[in-house]
């Protein structure tokens, strides 16, 4: 199980949970060994799986949900075709959030329009895409600091005062991994990103609802659509069809098993699965998005802004 981020973040935790259970539903019950391969906002891991891993279903992986959008925008760092990856399933579709540390003075998205605010990001993923889009469309003044290996590293940077904002993390992740921060009001939820509001975040604005015209709304809706991809599990291109079926059947059985659901709840993860076949279509639809919308979004997030620095 190749994990495109460093240990401790939500991608890592979901992948390790599935690695423990998925083998129970695969004939022969093989041992699934997690291996972290951070770099390039999970592009390093995805490129390795795409081009170097055995094409027999023996290698699974998880990577950033925004890779399909990056490919649609012609990102030169995408040296693979996300359509050719074989999707096995997503355990949970969930809204993302952009949050500010409690001592930053940033309590609402409007506050981020009044002063420059540093944002921690991993690379060309949602952690940088969201603040770039908000700068261009909403008028925020986020200064994006790239290069953190994973979400847990950005959390540490928040605590240390290195950055004031984390560009992207799921609402579910905050509830499961940093419940104490929510309890103690250590973070302020500025905006949520998804196609519908989370039931328990009724007062936090949905990113696409902040658009001032139809085209901007369409752009922000496209940017929000990968939340349906969630924490994807995929395997290599050209994996034999019978093995793809075995893996997808195992995933579908796993997410319906009360034992797995109970363990996920114990670890404070919600299970709201998307099948591999559904994910394959979602990815294909994103890659095939209308050119006028992808062109506009590419103008916003496809190029490095002058106030973006690397780390």
């Amino acid at each position: 199980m190749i994990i495109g981020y460093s240990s401790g973040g939500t991608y890592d935790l979901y992948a390790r949970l599935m690695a423990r259970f998925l083998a129970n539903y695969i004939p022969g019950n093989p041992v699934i060994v997690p291996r972290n391969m951070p770099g390039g906002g999970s592009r390093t891991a995805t490129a390795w799986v795409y081009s170097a891993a055995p094409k027999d279903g023996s290698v699974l992986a998880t990577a950033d949900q925004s890779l399909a959008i990056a490919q649609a925008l012609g990102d030169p760092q995408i040296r693979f075709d996300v359509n050719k990856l074989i999707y096995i399933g997503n355990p949970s579709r969930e809204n993302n959030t952009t949050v500010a540390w409690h001592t930053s003075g940033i309590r609402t998205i409007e506050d981020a329009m009044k002063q420059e605010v540093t944002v921690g990001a991993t690379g060309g993923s949602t952690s940088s895409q969201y603040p770039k889009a908000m700068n261009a469309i909403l008028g925020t003044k986020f200064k994006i600091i790239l290069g953190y290996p994973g979400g847990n590293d950005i959390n540490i940077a928040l605590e240390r005062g290195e950055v004031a904002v984390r560009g992207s993390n799921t609402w579910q992740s905050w509830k499961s991994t940093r419940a104490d921060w929510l309890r103690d009001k250590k973070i302020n939820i500025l905006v949520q990103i998804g196609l519908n509001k989370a039931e328990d975040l009724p007062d936090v604005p949905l990113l696409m609802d902040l658009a001032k015209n139809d085209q901007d709304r369409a752009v922000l809706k496209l940017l929000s659509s990968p939340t349906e991809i969630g924490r994807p599990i995929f395997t290599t291109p050209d994996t034999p069809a019978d093995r793809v079926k075995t893996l997808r059947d195992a995933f579908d059985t796993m997410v319906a098993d009360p034992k797995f659901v109970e363990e996920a709840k114990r670890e404070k993860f919600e299970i709201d699965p998307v099948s591999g076949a559904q994910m394959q279509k979602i990815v294909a639809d994103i890659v095939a998005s209308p050119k006028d919308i992808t062109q506009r979004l590419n103008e916003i997030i496809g190029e490095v802004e002058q106030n973006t620095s690397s780390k």
Side-chain angles (χ1 to χ4, degrees):
M1 177 74 80
I2 303 299
I3 303 165
Y5 289 105
S6 58
S7 61
T10 315
Y11 282 94
D12 179 70
L13 296 175
Y14 263 115
R16 289 175 182 276
L17 172 64
M18 287 185 285
R20 295 204 309 273
F21 277 84
L22 188 61
N24 296 331
Y25 313 96
I26 298 175
N29 306 120
V31 175
I32 300 178
V33 181
R35 175 186 171 193
N36 295 90
M37 191 183 291
S42 78
R43 286 161 172 76
T44 300
T46 307
W48 183 85
V49 171
Y50 184 85
S51 61
K55 293 178 170 54
D56 58 4
S58 64
V59 175
L60 299 172
T62 189
D64 194 87
Q65 60 185 231
S66 70
L67 294 181
I69 277 190
Q71 179 169 321
L73 301 185
D75 186 337
Q77 294 184 21
I78 301 293
R79 299 183 178 91
F80 43 82
D81 184 352
V82 295
N83 275 321
K84 292 183 179 179
L85 297 169
I86 306 297
Y87 295 89
I88 305 304
N90 162 32
S92 183
R93 57 190 128 199
E94 52 197 8
N95 280 7
N96 285 324
T97 61
T98 298
V99 310
W101 191 245
H102 66 111
T103 59
S104 67
I106 307 299
R107 296 185 175 278
T108 67
I109 196 66
E110 288 77 18
D111 291 336
M113 300 175 188
K114 299 173 183 176
Q115 65 185 76
E116 184 177 87
V117 187
T118 53
V119 181
T122 59
S125 64
T126 57
S127 60
S128 63
Q129 291 171 354
Y130 294 158
K132 282 185 179 182
M134 285 186 269
N135 283 351
I137 294 177
L138 307 183
T140 51
K141 299 179 179 179
F142 291 125
K143 179 179 180 180
I144 306 164
I145 311 299
L146 297 171
Y148 288 95
N152 200 47
D153 305 276
I154 301 175
N155 289 345
I156 294 171
L158 286 172
E159 291 183 296
R160 291 175 174 173
E162 291 179 16
V163 295
V165 169
R166 179 168 174 181
S168 176
N169 190 27
T170 68
W171 174 229
Q172 176 56 36
S173 174
W174 290 126
K175 291 188 290 183
S176 61
T177 66
R178 290 293 187 272
D180 55 327
W181 283 13
L182 297 176
R183 181 196 65 216
D184 299 337
K185 299 182 179 179
K186 291 292 184 70
I187 53 175
N188 300 318
I189 314 296
L190 306 182
V191 67
Q192 59 180 309
I193 301 94
L195 301 183
N196 297 284
K197 281 189 175 183
E199 291 184 0
D200 50 353
L201 283 179
D203 299 324
V204 176
L206 201 62
L207 177 60
M208 65 183 189
D209 287 347
L210 296 174
K212 297 179 175 62
N213 58 60
D214 289 343
Q215 187 188 50
D216 283 350
R217 181 179 175 83
V219 170
L220 293 179
K221 182 177 181 179
L222 174 59
L223 184 61
S224 302
S225 60
T227 56
E228 294 292 302
I229 298 174
R231 308 300 182 187
I233 296 296
F234 56 87
T235 190
T236 53
D238 302 321
T239 296
D242 60 334
R243 296 194 177 189
V244 173
K245 185 179 186 304
T246 295
L247 291 170
R248 287 180 171 178
D249 287 349
F251 177 86
D252 293 343
T253 303
M254 177 187 70
V255 294
D257 188 335
K259 291 182 180 179
F260 172 77
V261 174
E262 182 61 31
E263 178 62 17
K265 287 182 178 178
R266 191 185 71 79
E267 296 188 19
K268 300 180 180 178
F269 288 125
E270 294 177 1
I271 301 301
D272 183 15
V274 182
S275 73
Q278 288 176 300
M279 289 183 63
Q280 207 80 44
K281 184 178 186 305
I282 291 168
V283 169
D285 287 346
I286 291 173
V287 172
S289 296
K291 293 299 182 182
D292 60 328
I293 301 302
T294 58
Q295 183 176 349
R296 170 69 172 138
L297 186 56
N298 192 46
E299 291 171 355
I300 294 170
I301 68 173
E303 52 189 53
V304 180
E305 299 175 18
Q306 291 183 358
N307 70 343
T308 302
S309 60
S310 61
K311 182 179 185 297

